[in-house]
Structure formats: C-alpha cells, structure tokens
Amino acid sequence: MERNEFIKSLGLGMALVCAGSCLSACGSKSNDPAPSPPGGGGGGGTTGATASIDLATQLTTVGSFVATGGVLFIRLAAGNSTSSFVATQAACPHQGGALNWIQASNLIQCSLHASQYTSGGAILRQPNDGGTTNALKVYNTSISGNILTATIV
Ligand code: FES
C-alpha cells in the first residue's frame, strides 16, 4: 500500500515537472517573432511549365485536338505555324470537366455540363447545371522543328 502511494506521488510529481517544462516551452515560443515569409520569387508552382506535342504524328488534320499536360491543343488551320494552333487549359473552369473541340460548331465544349467557349477562351454558354464558369486560359505557343509547345502561365 505505501509503495503504491509512493509510486502514485512520484507519477504526479513527474507529471507536474513535465507540465511545467511544456508550459515554459510554450511560453517562450509565444514570444518568438512571427515566422518570416518565404523569400521572393515563390509564386505559382506551375508558372513557366510547358506541355508539348509532336506535329509529325499529332494534330495532322484541321479540327483535330489533343489534351496533354493540362493543355488542350487544337489545330485551327493547315500549316505548322503557331497561328494554325490554339492552346487552352484542358480542364473546364467550372468543375474540371474535359474540354473538347467541336469542329462543326467552331467552339470548345465541356463534356460535363456543356458550357461552351470560343477558340480564344471567351464564354459562349454557361454550364447547364445552373452554375457559372469563367473564360478559359489561353497559352502562348512556340514551334521548334515538329514540336509544338505551350507555356503555362
Ligand atoms: S465542368 Fe464544365 S461546365 Fe461544368
């Protein structure tokens, strides 16, 4: 019995010691200056990222399109100059539905709620679920050899 009481009192003492050290540690932390913000130049993680396709095997016909690397590439005209292509975000701004080029209607349409956009990214029709969408991001493109590259900004 006495031994148990001794152990209990020892345990209570240890608990008080731990609590005291924790409180003092917490107290000193509260006096620390606020964390400094990360150094400049952080910005968005995907800024400057690129997506590319090979024009030797992809987008060989006017009206064809392909989504890769978060970019929807569309061939609007013949020839391999940047003016023959457009590159937009591949996911619908509304809720992330896949976007497709509808050549017969000359527009981009979402597969989820049928919102529609021009090849320049402007909204032609809002989603059919009563929600609203935003204009598409349109990316700059460059061509090197047969490789068409979009730079995601
Ligand atoms: S996700 Fe595209 S319209 Fe809803």
Side-chain angles (χ1 to χ4, degrees):
M1 294 298 271
E2 286 183 15
R3 186 176 181 188
N4 283 345
E5 288 178 4
F6 173 75
I7 291 173
K8 283 182 184 177
S9 68
L10 189 62
L12 180 61
M14 288 299 289
L16 288 174
V17 168
C18 287
S21 65
C22 288
L23 288 174
S24 70
C26 290
S28 67
K29 275 193 172 182
S30 69
N31 292 333
D32 290 344
S36 58
T46 58
T47 300
T50 60
S52 298
I53 60 169
D54 186 349
L55 296 175
T57 58
Q58 297 173 291
L59 300 188
T60 55
T61 60
V62 174
S64 57
F65 62 96
V66 63
T68 184
V71 175
L72 177 67
F73 291 95
I74 305 166
R75 177 183 279 280
L76 297 175
N80 281 359
S81 63
T82 55
S83 62
S84 298
F85 303 94
V86 66
T88 72
Q89 64 186 96
C92 181
H94 177 228
Q95 290 181 0
L99 297 173
N100 299 300
W101 174 249
I102 310 297
Q103 176 67 12
S105 303
N106 197 38
L107 55 80
I108 297 168
Q109 182 168 299
C110 177
S111 59
L112 199 53
H113 304 117
S115 62
Q116 295 178 339
Y117 309 86
T118 67
S119 60
I123 300 168
L124 291 173
R125 187 170 75 189
Q126 291 289 344
N128 62 14
D129 71 342
T132 57
T133 189
N134 296 309
L136 299 180
K137 294 176 184 171
V138 179
Y139 305 126
N140 289 330
T141 56
S142 61
I143 295 178
S144 177
N146 284 329
I147 304 302
L148 172 64
T149 300
T151 301
I152 302 167
V153 292

